[in-house]
Amino acid sequence: MSFPVFPAIPLFQQAQLFIIGLLFAFAGCESQHNGVIDVLTQPPTIVSASVTPSAVLTDSMNIGPFQLPEDILTIILTASVKVGASPSTVGYTLFQDRRLQPLTEGELNNLGVSPDIFASDSIFTGAVTFQINRSFIGNLTLELVPQSSDGIIGTSFLQTIEIQRFNHPPVLSNLQAPDTVRISLQSFVISVQASDPDGAPDIASVTRQTPSGLILNLNDSGTNGDAVAGDGIYTEVVDLDSSTPLGSYSFVFRALDQSNATSNTILHTIIVLQ
């Protein structure tokens, strides 16, 4: 039996075939490698965000009959965030200073649970509740941070929350009081006009302080010598008796509002004669 004889392949052609073979081998490896490369997850992005209210006037908040600087006020904000990619969470942190403990922190929800409206619509909403003293005035910062299901954190959104107090102190004027009185009169009337830029209901008291430090209230209730209730004229009937020492008495009149802000003071001296 005879076999066909093939002509010998020149060396340079053998080299070409070897290189072509290597290229096919590399191409096959690259194709296999590309099949297992993971696509990097993009961080979630905030498309829009809103926080209401962004300013809080604590003078409008009453938790008792009087507004006291030490009152603890509970404030509720509503935060809503729309994200471009669906994150697993949107967290919030409220702080005055990052070096201090935050006032509150938590997560918004996209479950359709109030205040969120629709579930799984890429809009996360929640109530941010915190407490401050009424005496606090200044800015807080609310930070909203989206995070993907695999832990990638997106760019945060910062909102300034302004805590305001626009309280104005009351004003006293037009004091009506005698300069001298006689014990035989037995009593006399004192009145003073009181006003408040924040409204008459903001006036907590109008008082007369005696030389011994005793604090006595004037009234605008239409009683105890007051002619008309609610007209802003506060009145007191001062009783005298035979045991009252003769001499000069200096009295200090002042008003106090619901936030404990003090008015201007009026000093008046009355001489008691026989």
Side-chain angles (χ1 to χ4, degrees), residues 15-270:
Q16 285 179 334
L17 291 174
F18 178 74
I19 293 172
I20 291 171
L22 286 178
L23 291 175
F24 275 108
F26 284 137
C29 291
E30 185 178 355
S31 177
Q32 277 189 336
H33 187 60
N34 282 342
V36 296
I37 289 179
D38 290 332
V39 178
L40 293 177
T41 303
Q42 295 298 317
T45 57
I46 294 179
V47 177
S48 61
S50 65
V51 180
T52 55
S54 59
V56 178
L57 178 61
T58 57
D59 286 331
S60 65
M61 304 175 65
N62 295 317
I63 62 174
F66 303 103
Q67 291 187 356
L68 304 176
E70 61 268 23
D71 285 343
I72 303 297
L73 303 178
T74 299
I75 298 173
I76 302 176
L77 311 175
T78 299
S80 184
V81 173
K82 182 177 182 180
V83 291
S86 297
S88 60
T89 62
V90 174
Y92 64 80
T93 304
L94 181 70
F95 57 89
Q96 180 184 1
D97 189 324
R98 287 190 183 275
R99 296 169 296 181
L100 305 176
Q101 185 75 12
L103 275 72
T104 187
E105 53 190 343
E107 293 182 357
L108 308 181
N109 85 85
N110 190 20
L111 304 174
V113 178
S114 181
D116 189 57
I117 300 175
F118 300 108
S120 305
D121 63 349
S122 298
I123 299 177
F124 289 71
T125 309
V128 179
T129 304
F130 64 100
Q131 292 184 320
I132 58 170
N133 280 24
R134 187 186 297 278
S135 58
F136 177 82
I137 302 174
N139 292 334
L140 304 174
T141 301
L142 180 65
E143 182 177 26
L144 304 173
V145 182
Q147 181 172 325
S148 66
S149 57
D150 51 2
I152 297 179
I153 297 176
T155 302
S156 63
F157 173 85
L158 299 176
Q159 173 68 55
T160 298
I161 307 300
E162 186 177 0
I163 307 299
Q164 305 170 337
R165 291 190 69 197
F166 291 156
N167 183 63
H168 302 87
V171 177
L172 289 185
S173 62
N174 195 28
L175 175 68
Q176 300 294 315
D179 295 325
T180 60
V181 295
R182 296 185 179 275
I183 292 179
S184 58
L185 289 176
Q186 296 184 336
S187 67
F188 60 93
V189 176
I190 292 175
S191 67
V192 65
Q193 181 81 40
S195 61
D196 193 304
D198 299 316
D202 195 41
I203 299 175
S205 65
V206 176
T207 60
R208 173 175 65 93
Q209 181 175 339
T210 69
S212 63
L214 181 65
I215 304 295
L216 300 168
N217 285 293
L218 285 73
N219 82 93
D220 187 20
S221 61
T223 62
N224 191 27
D226 187 60
V228 179
D231 64 351
I233 298 175
Y234 287 74
T235 309
E236 178 192 10
V237 176
V238 181
D239 294 322
L240 295 170
D241 60 50
S242 58
S243 63
T244 301
L246 305 181
S248 177
Y249 295 85
S250 294
F251 301 104
V252 178
F253 297 85
R254 62 168 54 88
L256 197 68
D257 72 5
Q258 301 289 356
S259 297
N260 272 357
T262 304
S263 71
N264 59 305
T265 58
I266 298 178
L267 179 65
H268 185 75
T269 299
I270 298 176

